Amino acid sequence: MKKLAALLLAVVMVFSLTACGSKDDGNKGTTAAPAGDTTAAAGDETAASAETEGTTAAAAANGEGKTYVIATDTTFAPFEFENDNGEMVGIDLDLLAAIAEDQGFEYELQVVGFNAAVTALESGEVDAVIAGMSITEKREKLYDFSEPYFDSGVGMAVAADSEIASYEDLKGQQVAAKIGTEGCTFAESIADQYGFTIAQFEQSAEMYQDVLSGTSVACFDDYPVLGYEISRGTELKLPLPMEQGSSYGFAVLKGENAELLEMFDKGLANLKASGKYDEIVNTYVATGSADDAETESAAETESAAETESAAAAE
Ligand code: GLN
């Protein structure tokens, strides 16, 4: 995967002339040459990295009915990522497995990346997306979301030894963002004001690499994800507090799969009531309580040690 990502890195990049670009931004056509290249590269990537995982957990209760196809991101820890045993795990995927078990539905997971997942939902190739997907007003016009299951927001990460401490410091520089995400939308919303350009990537890992290599001076991604990445030893830091808060939801296409959405909400409520929700979140985020509001500050606390030691080194 890493080698593949590195190989694709050059082709997958698009510069900031294009908008943040996923279907949910309403950019259906990719007529410009760079965007066309990106689409082709993304297609290859999807084909190469799509792992279809049958779920044993969900298979039990319900013999009847369909197997839902649910798309997720590739690496968006702690929400979805591959563990040392090569299994896809994380808060999203553990919640989904527990909810499916609770509600007795079956599903097949497609690990395709965030933008690809949303595109697949849009075209009806998959029934739902769970991928740390922020519930936004714009998206609510296109998708039906579950009840929010995790509070999040956007953050800016810079290299651990970077002197960038504010958006003003980005003047004349390039930053990295992930296609079709709220991080990208946020970066775009302040790019003119602070005078920076945006390089867009399909995957979070590619963004981090671009910052670590010094090509981009900063990247914009979800704050708890950046915090988790830093807590795992990636040499980044978060010089500023979280921006643009939003909550994650499980998404289906508007008006479709209402029964799946209903099962998700019921299952989620059951997991919250039984303590299983807290248990899952606490597996990945070191917090005393998994109250939505507190998980953010837990991610912050996790990264704070790294940030401080990086600051001390300067
Ligand atoms: N929460 C962000 C969004 O919905 C990013 C999701 C992701 O990259 N998996 O845009």
Side-chain angles (χ1 to χ4, degrees):
M1 263 311 286
K2 273 193 187 137
K3 269 186 205 155
L4 177 69
L7 275 174
L8 286 172
L9 194 121
V11 265
V12 184
M13 276 180 68
V14 206
F15 289 91
S16 57
L17 298 173
T18 56
C20 285
S22 81
K23 302 266 182 183
D24 61 331
D25 290 324
N27 289 352
K28 302 240 176 199
T30 45
T31 44
D37 288 353
T38 306
T39 306
D44 292 350
E45 172 79 25
T46 303
S49 68
E51 296 166 30
T52 304
E53 304 206 342
T55 53
T56 46
N62 194 355
E64 56 166 47
K66 65 187 269 188
T67 299
Y68 295 100
V69 181
I70 301 179
T72 189
D73 203 344
T74 46
T75 303
F76 197 61
F79 297 94
E80 42 269 341
F81 60 100
E82 197 176 285
N83 70 11
D84 293 341
N85 300 326
E87 300 151 347
M88 286 301 293
V89 296
I91 294 173
D92 283 351
L93 304 186
D94 292 10
L95 282 177
L96 178 62
I99 288 169
E101 191 175 15
D102 183 74
Q103 295 292 305
F105 66 84
E106 293 182 36
Y107 67 96
E108 177 192 300
L109 198 62
Q110 290 204 351
V111 183
V112 294
F114 183 70
N115 193 42
V118 173
T119 305
L121 180 63
E122 193 84 1
S123 66
E125 284 166 63
V126 301
D127 295 303
V129 168
I130 189 159
M133 184 170 177
S134 306
I135 303 170
T136 64
E137 251 177 60
K138 203 170 184 177
R139 287 177 180 163
E140 279 183 311
K141 297 198 173 87
L142 300 169
Y143 316 111
D144 289 328
F145 283 98
S146 68
E147 289 298 316
Y149 64 83
F150 196 93
D151 289 345
S152 187
V154 169
M156 176 180 80
V158 298
D161 60 0
S162 170
E163 276 165 17
I164 287 173
S166 68
Y167 298 139
E168 282 80 8
D169 295 340
L170 299 175
K171 193 170 176 59
Q173 306 279 7
Q174 176 185 300
V175 309
K178 186 167 145 189
I179 298 172
T181 64
E182 284 304 288
C184 189
T185 302
F186 177 73
E188 215 162 51
S189 74
I190 61 165
D192 283 350
Q193 185 185 349
Y194 294 103
F196 60 81
T197 58
I198 306 168
Q200 294 185 28
F201 297 87
E202 285 283 339
Q203 313 228 22
S204 289
E206 295 165 353
M207 278 197 295
Y208 308 151
Q209 200 44 52
D210 211 54
V211 175
L212 293 172
S213 72
T215 312
S216 288
V217 295
C219 66
F220 289 83
D221 203 356
D222 285 5
Y223 198 94
V225 171
L226 291 168
Y228 190 84
E229 194 66 28
I230 291 166
S231 76
R232 287 288 172 277
T234 302
E235 297 198 331
L236 296 172
K237 65 181 176 187
L238 292 157
L240 296 170
M242 187 170 83
E243 295 275 2
Q244 192 168 300
S246 62
S247 298
Y248 295 160
F250 173 85
V252 296
L253 210 51
K254 199 144 202 65
E256 305 280 333
N257 284 309
E259 77 294 343
L260 176 60
L261 199 56
E262 196 177 314
M263 287 191 285
F264 188 94
D265 279 336
K266 275 191 193 155
L268 180 64
N270 289 345
L271 297 192
K272 287 198 167 172
S274 71
K276 181 79 183 165
Y277 173 92
D278 284 0
E279 193 187 300
I280 288 172
V281 171
N282 290 342
T283 309
Y284 299 98
V285 186
T287 168
S289 151
D291 261 359
D292 287 352
E294 288 180 49
T295 42
E296 294 159 15
S297 53
E300 209 167 334
T301 312
E302 274 192 342
S303 63
E306 302 272 339
T307 313
E308 268 161 36
S309 59
E314 280 172 24

